[in-house]
Amino acid sequence: MTSAQELFGGGIAVITGAGAGVGAGLARYAARELGMTVVLADVDTRAIAELRAELEAVGARVLDVTCDVRDPQALERLAERTIAEAGPVRLLVNNAGVEQFGYLWDTPVPNWERLLAINISGVFHGIKAFLPRMTAEPGQSWVWHLSSVGGVSASPLQAPYIMSKHAVLALTECLHQEVELAGHAHHVHVQAVLSGAVASDIFESAGAVEDSDIAAAEDHRAAMLRIKAQAMDPVDAARVFFDQAAEGEFYLRSQPFVADAMAARADVLTHRRAPLLIRGDYAVLAN
């Protein structure tokens, strides 16, 4: 069996949303355990600068690039700089994402549009900037897209986020087929990351509602923060993702309950049942 070290070791990884959460966990594991050159991309300049300093202190090679994934030209510049300063990309992780709490009908339009621009269009912009360059290179490369257990389930009071993760999963499945159709599947490998309960700051920074049922939105935020307290460390999740990728899995799952959620979703669709309303601390933790 091929190991993650054999596949990824010494290569170049580009990670969007690398300033915190799963993105930072992937960066730490890739740099420290696999010896990868890591390109940290995020809108939070300070966060990626601090992470760069941390990783350089242990001998890693790191670039930090302030990048807003909503801007397609920013992704083009990221790709150009990566190739010029580091070389061909071994692993692209389109990870940047934001959350939104509250009833769907209470969601402010600007929050809705921002979430779509980051969670969905940001992934597309990453594909648009990097895939032509990756398919043109003869070496092996991987593309990971951060969906979530939310991408195979439904949960009230965070509908925009859940919807976006369903979209990312569908986009990733289609891209996997298109890479094969175009004749690149022998060297470009597309995989979907289904993160479950992985520690992140996404809930603290999640959008809320400005009027109507504010209490419902904040109660749901509190429920997510209770889950976060028991969540998996992002570096441990990264290890799992890299190992599953090396095993050739398409759906990279942080914990066994993600597979249970996938099976439950399949059962709902097979039997044409309405999704069950889950009350209490919803078992959905984002990237």
Side-chain angles (χ1 to χ4, degrees):
M1 181 180 296
T2 305
S3 69
Q5 179 65 51
E6 290 172 303
L7 288 183
F8 299 102
I12 297 162
V14 177
I15 304 170
T16 67
V22 170
L26 288 168
R28 288 186 170 101
Y29 187 81
R32 297 191 311 218
E33 305 300 327
L34 301 178
M36 301 188 78
T37 295
V38 179
V39 180
L40 309 172
D42 203 297
V43 292
D44 189 337
T45 301
R46 179 176 178 179
I48 54 175
E50 290 176 352
L51 182 53
R52 175 180 179 172
E54 172 194 322
L55 295 177
E56 287 182 334
V58 295
R61 185 183 179 206
V62 185
L63 297 176
D64 57 320
V65 181
T66 303
C67 179
D68 186 340
V69 298
R70 294 174 291 183
D71 178 3
Q73 293 306 311
L75 270 298
E76 281 291 333
R77 291 191 296 271
L78 176 65
E80 291 171 0
R81 182 175 174 187
T82 298
I83 299 299
E85 298 187 24
V89 175
R90 181 81 55 84
L91 173 64
L92 168 67
V93 185
N94 287 314
N95 164 73
V98 294
E99 253 279 20
Q100 172 67 39
F101 294 135
Y103 286 110
L104 186 58
W105 53 84
D106 290 340
T107 301
V109 171
N111 290 20
W112 169 265
E113 293 178 342
R114 175 175 178 265
L115 185 143
L116 294 182
I118 295 171
N119 293 17
I120 301 177
S121 294
V123 175
F124 169 70
H125 296 155
I127 294 168
K128 189 76 171 169
F130 282 91
L131 257 291
R133 294 172 167 91
M134 296 171 80
T135 57
E137 288 289 336
Q140 298 291 308
S141 61
W142 282 259
V143 180
W144 294 1
H145 291 160
L146 265 290
S147 181
S148 164
V149 65
V152 293
S153 58
S155 178
L157 298 167
Q158 55 186 130
Y161 175 82
I162 297 293
M163 174 278 303
S164 74
K165 293 305 180 179
H166 277 256
V168 168
L169 183 57
L171 181 154
T172 308
E173 291 168 339
C174 292
L175 181 65
H176 174 78
Q177 294 178 328
E178 291 186 3
V179 166
E180 182 174 359
L181 182 64
H184 298 294
H186 65 286
H187 72 112
V188 178
H189 313 280
V190 178
Q191 295 165 314
V193 180
L194 301 180
S195 58
V198 180
S200 168
D201 294 333
I202 195 171
F203 298 137
E204 288 91 338
S205 60
V209 298
E210 299 167 352
D211 49 33
S212 299
D213 202 336
I214 296 174
E218 293 309 314
D219 285 349
H220 193 74
R221 187 194 305 273
M224 294 297 98
L225 290 173
R226 288 192 291 273
I227 293 173
K228 175 184 174 179
Q230 305 298 320
M232 188 177 194
D233 182 88
V235 175
D236 292 334
R239 179 180 295 106
V240 171
F241 296 145
F242 273 105
D243 286 347
Q244 290 177 358
E247 292 167 4
E249 295 277 355
F250 176 77
Y251 300 102
L252 312 182
R253 309 160 315 284
S254 58
Q255 291 128 315
F257 81 81
V258 177
D260 295 339
M262 296 170 74
R265 179 68 176 176
D267 185 70
V268 165
L269 295 174
T270 298
H271 295 92
R272 302 180 299 281
R273 291 195 295 267
L276 179 67
L277 173 62
I278 304 172
R279 299 181 183 277
D281 286 3
Y282 305 94
V284 177
L285 190 74
N287 56 304

